[in-house]
Structures are given as structure tokens and as C-alpha cells.
Amino acid sequence: MEVLDRYFASLQDVMAQTMESPNMAPLQRLDAYLDVITDLMSVSGWRYGCLIGNLGLEVSGYSELIRTRLQGIFADWLRPFLAVVVDAQRSGELRDDLSPEEVAEFLLAGWHGAILRMKVERSDEPLKRFRRIIEVTLFQSGRRQIKEPV
């Protein structure tokens, strides 16, 4: 539990610097967060993914204590995504005909799915694909607003 909490605390620091930054437009905040996470994943050659996602897949079926903690972590993790979605819908950057709660859930879950595929493929292509798809399906302009990772 301590390792899990420390890992999430480091992600909360990343979210505070990116997703919660008052100096960026909403989709720039999302972009910055995805960039930082992509950079962290690249250091390992796309091998390790996310400890929280890994434990969710492997351990939550065996430990109720860890499953419950992971559930709380995902609830806390969702809040900055929801704030970005609400702000982006208000500013006209993001489609407003979808529930902000569902869009935030989709972004967090979809990103984790892309990270899982990244690990399997040992490539950043699943992360790039995720970003391309959210761009054309969710962004109001339908044009590139989040830059593709390098």
C-alpha cells in the first residue's frame, strides 16, 4: 500500500504541474500531462507502464484491500481530468454534447488502455493513436490541438 500511495503521490505532483496549471488553456493542460507521462514511459523503452494500472490488472482480483485503495486512487485521479473537460467544454475547445463525467472517465480509461498496449508492443504508437482519436472525436474544431508526441 505504501508503494502504491507513493507512486500516486508522484502522479499527483505531475497533475498539479500540468492538468491543474492556471497558466494554460484546458487542452494545453491535458497535452502537457500526456507529454510528461509519455516521456516517463519512454525512459524504460516502453516496458513498464503504470504501476497503478498494472496492479489493477493483476492484484485487484486477489486483494480486497488493494482493490479498494485502487478504486479510491482512480476516483482521485479522475478529478483533474473532469476539471479539464469541464473547462474545455466551457471554453469551446471540446464538444459539449457529451457528459463531462463520461468524457473524463473515457480519457482516463482509454489512456490506460493505450499504456497497456504500449507495454505489449514496446512502442509509443498506441499512445499516439489514442491522441489522434481523441482529437478527431472530442475536439470542437476537429483539427489538431494536442500535438503528437515526438
Side-chain angles (χ1 to χ4, degrees):
M1 294 297 279
E2 181 70 23
V3 169
L4 190 56
D5 287 341
R6 285 180 184 225
Y7 184 87
F8 186 56
S10 70
L11 283 176
Q12 288 175 308
D13 290 342
V14 170
M15 287 185 282
Q17 295 169 19
T18 58
M19 303 265 279
E20 298 167 4
S21 172
N23 302 321
M24 293 185 267
L27 292 182
Q28 288 176 322
R29 296 187 331 239
L30 178 62
D31 186 29
Y33 173 78
L34 298 178
D35 282 346
V36 169
I37 300 303
T38 299
D39 290 346
L40 290 172
M41 299 293 162
S42 72
V43 171
S44 69
W46 318 109
R47 291 179 181 195
Y48 300 119
C50 171
L51 178 66
I52 296 165
N54 293 343
L55 287 175
L57 285 169
E58 298 297 328
V59 180
S60 62
Y62 301 101
S63 169
E64 186 63 18
L65 180 65
I66 291 177
R67 187 197 69 76
T68 301
R69 181 63 188 118
L70 287 168
Q71 189 175 21
I73 285 172
F74 276 109
D76 290 343
W77 207 341
L78 187 63
R79 287 185 189 101
F81 278 86
L82 180 58
V84 164
V85 169
V86 167
D87 290 350
Q89 286 179 329
R90 283 184 186 148
S91 71
E93 290 181 89
L94 196 67
R95 289 176 49 177
D96 64 359
D97 60 333
L98 300 169
S99 156
E101 293 82 8
E102 288 188 354
V103 172
E105 289 278 2
F106 167 77
L107 288 171
L108 185 56
W111 184 243
H112 273 89
I115 289 172
L116 170 67
R117 290 290 303 274
M118 173 211 74
K119 278 179 54 175
V120 171
E121 296 177 22
R122 292 217 176 130
S123 162
D124 65 342
E125 183 54 35
L127 305 179
K128 291 178 181 178
R129 184 180 315 117
F130 173 81
R131 293 173 87 162
R132 285 192 302 267
I133 296 301
I134 64 170
E135 172 193 307
V136 297
T137 60
L138 296 178
F139 295 0
Q140 192 65 284
S141 69
R143 295 187 341 239
R144 174 156 304 286
Q145 291 185 27
I146 288 185
K147 69 180 186 326
E148 190 171 284
V150 180

